[in-house]
Amino acid sequence: MIKTTKTKALSLSMIVSLALTGMANANVTNKDILNDQMTTEDVVTYGLGLKGQRYSPLKKINTETVKEMRPVWSFSLGGEKQRGQESQPMIKDGVMYITGSYSRVFAIDARTGDELWQYDARLPDGIMPCCDVINRGVALYGDLVIFGTLDAKLVALHKDTGKVVWKKKVEDYKAGYSITAAPIVVKGKVITGVAGGEFGIVGKVRAYDAKNGNLVWERPTVEGHMGYIWKNGKKMENGISGGKAGQTWPGDLWKSGGAAPWNGGTYDADVDLLFFGTGNPAPWNSHLRPGDNYFSSSRLAIDPDTGKIVWHFQTTPHDGWDYDGVNELISFDYKQNGKTVKAAGTADRNGFFYVLNRENGDFIRGFPIVDKISWASGLDKNGRPIYIDSNRPGNPADSKKGKKGTTVTSAPAFLGAKNWMPMAYSKDTELFYVPTNEWEMDIWNEPTAYKKGSAYLGAGFTIKAINEAYIGVLRAMDPKTGKEVWRYKNYSPLWSGVLATAGNLVFIGNPEGYLLGLNAKTGDVEYKFNTGSGIVGSPITWEMDGEQYISVLSGWGGAVPLWGGDVAKRIKHLNQGGSVWTFKLPK
Ligand code: CA
Ligand code: CA
């Protein structure tokens, strides 16, 4: 029944545990994926549910009991180079699936921490990840474990052996494309975006048949590019051009326009829409591309069957600060005047939090999630930023030598009020828990031209802390009022995902190495444990043999040490690592 491969034989403990649970052949179904949030014995989606709320109804670990929580095992990812570990673990039938730096996948016995198999994508020389060799996790479907690689491929592995079942090239890594986000599976299709906005790639979202990797549709995210749908192996225009070329871009710049949907997507079955965010328009130097530059720095609602853009909401039109709009859009409902509002919340790099109507993309309200925003004085009634023109980095063409434009100090820094690290929404407190950072940057523009496979910025920058005592701030935000209910300040920038539970707890990791458990209502620290290296992964919780478990990856890295300027110097003492830690209460 179970084949032994050359790479690694199944361990005895796995065969025994599979036999004990009698679920060796339990495949992940569309129903499992849709119900994931409320089924506590497994975690089969990125975000603990396709909505991405990162909320669990489990409450055995709660504000009363969490003090007793302790690690039960730790697993080392090995490898000679320790780099950022941004993965979210998945759990199915007592097996944990994680990704590691350099496009690796591990299957681990969730009871013991024993390795079951390991897959290494063996990357070519010349990959071009902008921001560390990280990966954020796998998707599960059927008997497959599916992930994206730094050389822009999708790879599907068999869950029991780690053997490749199918592999597809999504895009050309030599042009600057890569994949770091966890794909999601919706209605049997694997949906992925691509990274590469710093190299002038063309952003796109693609859907593949999860069973065999056949392409189903493609939706470019730069206005002017045609979308396609494949039927019976035939490529057809899906009839939706996504706008005409040259409307919001000058000349040919749309052909290298960036807008990379690099952080993956969410899905809400209620309105049957995918939600993907898009990154900066390329190049960063905004004076080269007058116009709003659709669909860069936006949130897009996409039809999961065809790839059609149903609505778009642009957070930073004509972005000049690298305020990528990729952050997750989380669906949630709330009551107002007795009526249910089908809303969605999203926290942007540009410093604002947006509440949108998720049926049509209408702006409901917006509010700041950092103390200092210098590039805009606020949002208008449609949610468009009100620019402070003097805070846009100057045009090099206006300078004496035409080499370097005026330097401005902009807040937030381009690494964002909030970057990729996913926030959580609690159904109990009706609050969003948003990991933010308070920093600013000196930024200036320079001339640049597109060249395949080269950095395409036309800008220089240095990031600086605003406060001596802290940069990271975990904020509890009320989406109905925009009020901050509490804040937790952290010396280093926060770069970890958040988890909220019915135990009135919010979990987050910090670069100092701690897994922190905070009181969801007050922000008081109820638990802390040092994992030995900085945490930049996303914690999960699940139930096994009647006990509640919590797991998180530890391993400092990601964009901050590489791009952080003065901030990177300030935290250069933090140690690297690469491990998974799993916790529970004593019996
Ligand atoms: Ca589940
Ligand atoms: Ca960017």
Side-chain angles (χ1 to χ4, degrees):
M1 171 190 87
I2 299 165
K3 263 194 255 165
T4 301
T5 70
K6 272 184 210 155
T7 46
K8 189 134 199 174
L10 282 169
S11 73
L12 185 64
S13 71
M14 185 195 182
I15 293 164
V16 169
S17 77
L18 291 177
L20 283 174
T21 55
M23 292 193 290
N25 295 313
N27 288 344
V28 174
T29 63
N30 284 314
K31 198 176 150 205
D32 294 337
I33 289 171
L34 285 172
N35 295 335
D36 191 26
Q37 185 170 41
M38 300 314 284
T39 54
T40 52
E41 74 288 356
D42 63 19
V43 176
V44 296
T45 55
Y46 186 75
L48 287 86
L50 286 171
K51 284 189 175 78
Q53 291 183 343
R54 294 184 183 275
Y55 167 85
S56 169
L58 288 172
K59 52 186 173 192
K60 281 181 182 152
I61 297 171
N62 55 49
T63 44
E64 296 300 309
T65 61
V66 71
K67 290 168 211 51
E68 297 301 322
M69 192 170 91
R70 53 201 68 179
V72 286
W73 57 260
S74 171
F75 173 89
S76 169
L77 277 68
E80 64 226 51
K81 290 184 219 152
Q82 307 276 13
R83 299 292 285 267
Q85 307 298 349
E86 293 189 358
S87 180
Q88 179 217 292
M90 297 281 218
I91 296 283
K92 176 69 179 164
D93 299 338
V95 179
M96 177 182 289
Y97 302 93
I98 59 157
T99 57
S101 51
Y102 293 101
S103 304
R104 292 175 292 162
V105 182
F106 300 82
I108 305 164
D109 185 322
R111 288 183 176 81
T112 61
D114 293 342
E115 180 176 305
L116 302 175
W117 52 259
Q118 178 180 155
Y119 173 81
D120 185 332
R122 293 201 189 88
L123 299 164
D125 293 336
I127 52 165
M128 284 189 277
C130 72
C131 313
D132 202 4
V133 287
I134 57 96
N135 186 280
R136 304 200 169 94
V138 301
L140 300 179
Y141 187 73
D143 55 7
L144 300 176
V145 178
I146 306 164
F147 84 116
T149 65
L150 290 166
D151 59 342
K153 292 188 178 77
L154 273 183
V155 183
L157 307 169
H158 194 278
K159 72 178 174 69
D160 295 334
T161 62
K163 228 175 124 174
V164 175
V165 176
W166 58 259
K167 188 192 278 194
K168 295 283 162 175
K169 173 183 165 181
V170 176
E171 264 296 352
D172 179 9
Y173 72 87
K174 290 175 186 157
Y177 288 94
S178 58
I179 301 177
T180 50
I184 59 170
V185 175
V186 174
K187 300 181 185 178
K189 291 189 277 286
V190 192
I191 323 273
T192 185
V194 294
E198 273 60 53
F199 303 100
I201 57 93
V202 174
K204 61 199 63 175
V205 179
R206 276 191 174 174
Y208 294 82
D209 185 327
K211 282 193 214 73
N212 50 32
N214 289 340
L215 192 53
V216 179
W217 54 254
E218 170 180 302
R219 173 69 263 160
T221 52
V222 181
E223 185 188 51
H225 294 270
M226 185 65 71
Y228 292 98
I229 189 161
W230 279 259
K231 274 196 180 136
N232 308 318
K234 258 183 72 182
K235 182 180 181 180
M236 300 181 289
E237 283 179 14
N238 66 4
I240 311 114
S241 73
K244 284 200 194 95
Q247 301 268 93
T248 62
W249 292 85
D252 280 348
L253 265 80
W254 59 282
K255 291 179 179 170
S256 51
W262 56 260
N263 203 18
T266 57
Y267 171 76
D268 176 43
D270 190 16
V271 296
D272 192 25
L273 289 172
L274 297 166
F275 302 111
F276 274 76
T278 57
N280 61 285
W284 287 18
N285 179 348
S286 62
H287 301 283
L288 296 171
R289 43 173 175 74
D292 280 357
N293 314 134
Y294 282 177
F295 300 96
S296 66
S297 301
S298 299
R299 304 300 187 282
L300 305 178
I302 297 174
D303 183 330
D305 299 319
T306 64
K308 178 187 167 184
I309 295 176
V310 176
W311 57 254
H312 67 97
F313 180 88
Q314 194 171 34
T315 44
T316 313
H318 195 221
D319 171 29
W321 303 264
D322 189 38
Y323 290 150
D324 290 27
V326 294
N327 290 343
E328 69 286 0
L329 188 89
I330 299 180
S331 297
F332 72 107
D333 292 341
Y334 68 93
K335 285 261 199 288
Q336 194 162 50
N337 308 323
K339 253 187 74 184
T340 298
V341 181
K342 289 188 182 184
T346 189
D348 205 89
R349 260 156 86 151
N350 72 14
F352 294 99
F353 189 106
Y354 299 81
V355 179
L356 305 177
N357 177 327
R358 71 178 184 269
E359 292 179 289
N360 55 23
D362 283 355
F363 174 72
I364 297 174
R365 71 183 64 85
F367 43 85
I369 45 161
V370 276
D371 293 337
K372 186 173 177 185
I373 297 176
S374 67
W375 66 282
S377 59
L379 304 173
D380 73 12
K381 66 178 186 353
N382 299 314
R384 190 181 174 90
I386 303 159
Y387 293 96
I388 298 170
D389 288 333
S390 59
N391 203 250
R392 182 177 292 272
N395 189 350
D398 296 340
S399 71
K400 272 193 191 134
K401 291 177 188 157
K403 285 218 163 139
K404 188 176 165 185
T406 319
T407 300
V408 296
T409 302
S410 297
F414 70 89
L415 286 177
K418 175 183 170 296
N419 203 288
W420 77 276
M421 55 284 190
M423 59 187 183
Y425 174 76
S426 166
K427 290 176 197 302
D428 306 321
T429 60
E430 299 186 328
L431 300 174
F432 279 92
Y433 299 96
V434 193
T436 66
N437 290 308
E438 300 275 358
W439 44 20
E440 60 189 0
M441 63 179 167
D442 290 338
I443 180 168
W444 60 91
N445 286 153
E446 296 160 353
T448 186
Y450 175 75
K451 189 174 160 245
K452 183 185 164 183
S454 294
Y456 185 43
L457 302 184
F461 42 81
T462 309
I463 294 188
K464 306 179 287 188
I466 293 172
N467 307 291
E468 196 43 51
Y470 65 94
I471 296 173
V473 185
L474 177 64
R475 289 173 151 91
M477 302 297 301
D478 184 342
K480 294 190 285 297
T481 60
K483 263 179 67 178
E484 181 184 300
V485 177
W486 56 256
R487 62 169 64 183
Y488 170 81
K489 294 184 219 162
N490 200 74
Y491 177 76
S492 300
L494 291 173
W495 212 254
S496 141
V498 183
L499 169 70
T501 73
N504 190 33
L505 287 168
V506 174
F507 290 95
I508 188 170
N510 68 11
E512 288 85 344
Y514 285 96
L515 175 67
L516 300 164
L518 296 95
N519 184 308
K521 292 198 185 94
T522 64
D524 293 339
V525 177
E526 309 281 5
Y527 181 80
K528 62 194 285 193
F529 177 87
N530 198 314
T531 60
S533 178
I535 295 178
V536 294
S538 297
I540 60 157
T541 187
W542 82 99
E543 196 164 27
M544 190 166 64
D545 311 327
E547 294 181 280
Q548 185 183 354
Y549 286 77
I550 295 205
S551 284
V552 71
L553 271 86
S554 167
W556 173 234
V560 178
L562 298 172
W563 293 75
D566 286 356
V567 169
K569 283 179 213 154
R570 164 172 158 151
I571 54 172
K572 68 176 188 309
H573 62 284
L574 296 174
N575 290 325
Q576 294 179 302
S579 57
V580 192
W581 286 83
T582 292
F583 303 81
K584 72 176 185 71
L585 296 171
K587 263 200 174 152

